[in-house]
Amino acid sequence: MSFNSNIWEERLCQWKLARERLLRRTGSQEEIPDPSDLGSVDEMELRQPEMYANYCHSEYVFSIRDNESRQFLSRKVPIPPSMIYPYRVSVIFRLVILAFFLRYRLTHPVHNAYGLWLASVFCEVWFSVSWILDQLPKWQPVNRQTFPERLCMRYNQPGKPSGLASVDVFVSTADPLKESPIVISNTILSILSVDYPAEKVSCYVSDEGAARLTLETLSLTCDFARKWVPFCKKFQIEPPSPESYFSQKVDHLKYNPYPTFSKERRLMKRRYEDFKAQINGLITKFQDVPSEGWTMKDGTPWPGNDIKNHLGMMQIIMGRGGPHGSDTRALPQVVYVSREKRPGFHHNNKAGAMNALVRVSALLTNGTYILNLDSDHYINNSRTFLEAMCFLMDPSNQKICFVQFPQRFEGVDANDRYGSHNTIFYDINLKGFDGIQGPFYLGTGCFLYRKALCGYDPSFEQKILNTRWLDLRMKRPSDNHGHYFSDASDESSSSLLVQELNSLEREFPSSFQSMEMCFGQAPLLIASNFVDDDIFSSYATIEEILRAAIHVISCDYEDKTAWGIEVGWIYGSQTGDVLTGLKMHARGWRSVYCMPVRAAFRGSAPINLSDRLTQITYEANIWFMLVVLSIFAHGFLELRWSGVSLQERWRNQQFWVIAGVSSHFFAIFQGLFKVMLGLNTRSSTLMKTHDEDSAIEFYKFKWTSLLILPTTLILINLWAVVAMIFSIVVHGYGSFGPLFAKLFFSFCVIVHLYPFLKGLLVRKHNIPTVVILWSLILATLFCLLWVRLDPFTTRFQGPDAEACGYEC
């Protein structure tokens, strides 16, 4: 860790503050030596022990070391009152105006268009309630500040064994021909290069496609990591993803003090280009599958030739005590996992794959915390692990179950036309939730506490069995570095393991029975719940662990267990990640939202609107005008405390309208069909790709039914504008007043849908004909129906001549 200068600056400030307090209290002019003259506190202790003793035992002057051990690793930073109080006043003001407005609307029905009035009032009440629910979590937003230097001084001092918690990183892939192998490689390389002890990091890659290309890609990636990781550590490279680092248009040589940096950077860039050529060669090689399928090096068929029917596969590509970098420092462990697939079994998509990784990692490393990343989300900040541990390892934060980082994207056009950055949600809404119980779990870029993910609540007590496992571990032979040995002929280790598990089962029969019903029939997996890290696996043979690992990724392992119900990722929903986080919150856990200055992770955003989606006029009155004014004032104050720009707010507003009339609209009916009719509707996950040289991809459309309704709305409002302009020309400008409100609202709809309209009008790409056809049909039917009903025209029938006679 490279924090010496920052640590010493902090010590110096504390020293000067302590000296000022002492002088104010005693009035003594006794000179206290300045640490900047002594070099360090340790040197002061050696050179002037008397002064050091007086310094340490003074009532007001505390020991820096003790103080640093007591200080918090993180803290809340509330929004300044000058920003948050005006915002709260605007919320109350808007709420009052909204109440008066709704009262006016309810007490002034439009009798000539009662149905239209009733529908508009219903919509107004619905959006009012939605707005109130949206404001509740924004009442007390907070920011967070972390102190990684204090964390390292407390748990990772030089020359001593690291006390930092171990982290297992999960990366999921599905199809290497859709998810670029070079993107996956960059994600893995960024994980291996983090500023964190290598022995505390393990990377597990889940391959749902059982592709040999993925395994070969990981093998090449680990070979290149032996060169890339030492380079990153030596020169503190940011970001640690080579593709992103070498594509940056900045002068890397300007601020780097190392004299050999220029030469080594050029060499590393050539090596990376060679690495990319090797990956492209693999893609070419594995693109066309031979008729008999792939074979392994020993000539046997590749088990994953049938991706829907294959055995479970696992390979430790790079493990501890194995391959090392060029500077002899160990690299993190990398494990390839492809769970068993059989016809007729529910595999539960990504959630099932994540739960399989939870079980495998519990057997191999049993990391205290889990970080899950999408295959295209690389680590952008090497200190991300330290940032997260400032919350998770802080003794004052005992109930934190996960730390969520915002999702930041690259490959987005400068104007962010489709709101891909989603800054309103990440920079405003989640800050508000952080002020309550914590943010949602968003599925990627999140550090989770393993015990909380496995169904424990915050009140669980760590079993005293830790000592028993430690005692058993001490019976094993070890080297001078604390590494324990086991091999296939080590009968004593296996017998000790069986004896200890049998003893525990006899001593706690009810506990073991309930744990088997919860976690399944795997003694080693159950044993992992009694300890943190991989203490229990140190005395088990590698063969025993591998056999257990293959067992826990079998198709039928989760049958009659709590996996996917109470343990691990929750099944049965497209938003399983959110449900998983809510499940932990329901048990009493809290979560934290961390937004470091340098983004922790970056990923590839969808680059066309089709992919992006798959992820009323009335009488003008004073209350309506006040509502509009309060909306503008409220939005301005919200931007003021959040720091979000006006352009970002507008882009998110535009896409909120687009999504509201497409994906959100269809999601409501999809949920209703699923709940009321029991229909299991399915939605496909579109792969995200990015090509820097083709910016026109932002406007490229693919066929999806979600495009029909927005296109229909554009055609209807364009027709309305043309019709109103024609009416003004025919009837004169005297008719402009009554038509102004209609023209204004049609114009607002078109402006909000402008990104969609611009995408449709790009001439270099063909608009899907089926979209235009269906939109024209629906728009025509709507216009004909509207003209037929004409709800804004008063219906008046003459009097009945028979009833009134000559007086009519």
Side-chain angles (χ1 to χ4, degrees), residues 50-67:
E50 295 181 359
M51 290 294 181
Y52 180 83
N54 293 334
Y55 166 79
C56 289
H57 293 90
S58 173
E59 179 180 355
Y60 280 80
V61 183
F62 46 85
S63 170
I64 291 179
R65 289 174 178 170
D66 293 339
N67 178 60

Side-chain angles (χ1 to χ4, degrees), residues 30-41:
E30 180 182 3
E31 182 179 359
I32 299 178
D34 193 319
S36 60
D37 298 329
L38 298 175
S40 69
V41 175

